[in-house]
Amino acid sequence: MTKTFKIEKPKIHSDLQQAQFEDIYFDEDPMLSDCEVKHAFVEGEELNKLVLSRVSFKGVRLLNSSFRRADVTDAVFDNCDLSNTRFEEGILHRVHFKDCKLLGLDLSQANLKNVTFDNCILNISSFIDAKLKQVLFEKSTLHTANFYDCRLEKTTFDQCDLDDIDFTVTNLNGIDISSSFFERIRVEAENLRGCIVSPQQAVSFASVFGLKVKE
């Protein structure tokens, strides 16, 4: 892997107070800050402009919910399930997802900076029209994930399963996928220019675009 950028870690205090996710329902402006939430279960909720700041989530399940235009800063999601939950047009800054199930997670038109996805399941997730800067996908699966028309800067896919991922209308110049694997990938030839790939991947791309490699 070639990663020449540094990702800022979430800035969270060690002495966090325990909180319940339901606490935000009593606030005019939904917000959680400087707290730890454990083993909460939320399904089918809709909260616009949710603010999460300096929060640790452990074993939390936020399913089939909508948090459009959320602002998530300095947060850790450890062993959480956010399947089919929507964060469209959200802002995620200094956020770490570890060992999380994120099937169908929707981050369309979101802005991500200093975000790590570590050993996560991101199959069928959506990053359509999102902006990613200093983002690391590490040892994660992204089957059929959609990165249509994304702006990627200092983004690396390290040892990830990228099978059938969609990079249509997304410039991969400087993006490192060399340690990842896939059988099929959707991307235009002109948007592969400058992408960092392995020798085996180069041969695979050559065959996709009609080139014949002579040994």
Side-chain angles (χ1 to χ4, degrees), residues 138-192:
E138 186 173 24
K139 297 179 181 177
S140 297
T141 61
L142 295 102
H143 292 177
T144 327
N146 195 340
F147 285 77
Y148 179 89
D149 198 16
C150 274
R151 269 77 73 197
L152 304 180
E153 182 180 350
K154 296 182 179 179
T155 297
T156 291
F157 298 85
D158 180 22
Q159 302 178 68
C160 292
D161 187 342
L162 307 180
D163 195 35
D164 208 21
I165 197 169
D166 190 345
F167 285 122
T168 307
V169 199
T170 296
N171 190 338
L172 297 182
N173 184 30
I175 304 304
D176 190 347
I177 63 171
S178 61
S179 64
S180 294
F181 50 95
F182 55 86
E183 292 186 4
R184 181 173 179 265
I185 192 169
R186 284 174 277 182
V187 61
E188 300 93 345
E190 60 270 23
N191 285 325
L192 266 177

Side-chain angles (χ1 to χ4, degrees), residues 27-39:
D27 297 331
E28 182 177 350
D29 298 316
M31 177 178 181
L32 282 176
S33 63
D34 297 298
C35 63
E36 182 179 60
V37 179
K38 289 185 176 181
H39 309 299

Side-chain angles (χ1 to χ4, degrees), residues 67-79:
F67 304 118
R68 183 172 175 267
R69 299 179 69 183
D71 186 339
V72 185
T73 304
D74 294 315
V76 174
F77 293 83
D78 188 354
N79 195 28

Side-chain angles (χ1 to χ4, degrees), residues 38-203:
K38 289 185 176 181
H39 309 299
F41 176 72
V42 175
E43 185 169 16
E45 290 292 338
E46 183 173 347
L47 290 169
N48 291 336
K49 299 183 180 180
L50 170 66
V51 176
L52 302 174
S53 178
R54 301 179 299 279
V55 181
S56 173
F57 292 94
K58 294 184 178 180
V60 169
R61 300 174 68 197
L62 305 178
L63 307 178
N64 305 303
S65 296
S66 178
F67 304 118
R68 183 172 175 267
R69 299 179 69 183
D71 186 339
V72 185
T73 304
D74 294 315
V76 174
F77 293 83
D78 188 354
N79 195 28
C80 294
D81 188 347
L82 278 67
S83 294
N84 297 314
T85 288
R86 304 165 68 179
F87 287 89
E88 306 108 309
E89 301 180 69
I91 297 174
L92 280 72
H93 183 38
R94 292 194 297 269
V95 179
H96 191 156
F97 295 92
K98 182 180 180 181
D99 300 324
C100 289
K101 184 178 181 181
L102 308 173
L103 285 168
L105 180 70
D106 192 344
L107 287 163
S108 300
Q109 297 182 299
N111 193 324
L112 285 70
K113 185 176 181 181
N114 292 302
V115 177
T116 299
F117 297 91
D118 180 6
N119 194 37
C120 293
I121 300 173
L122 285 146
N123 300 344
I124 328 173
S125 57
S126 177
F127 293 81
I128 295 173
D129 198 25
K131 297 179 181 179
L132 282 68
K133 183 176 181 179
Q134 292 170 216
V135 175
L136 173 63
F137 296 87
E138 186 173 24
K139 297 179 181 177
S140 297
T141 61
L142 295 102
H143 292 177
T144 327
N146 195 340
F147 285 77
Y148 179 89
D149 198 16
C150 274
R151 269 77 73 197
L152 304 180
E153 182 180 350
K154 296 182 179 179
T155 297
T156 291
F157 298 85
D158 180 22
Q159 302 178 68
C160 292
D161 187 342
L162 307 180
D163 195 35
D164 208 21
I165 197 169
D166 190 345
F167 285 122
T168 307
V169 199
T170 296
N171 190 338
L172 297 182
N173 184 30
I175 304 304
D176 190 347
I177 63 171
S178 61
S179 64
S180 294
F181 50 95
F182 55 86
E183 292 186 4
R184 181 173 179 265
I185 192 169
R186 284 174 277 182
V187 61
E188 300 93 345
E190 60 270 23
N191 285 325
L192 266 177
R193 187 183 301 273
C195 183
I196 302 169
V197 301
S198 68
Q200 294 79 9
Q201 290 170 342
V203 172

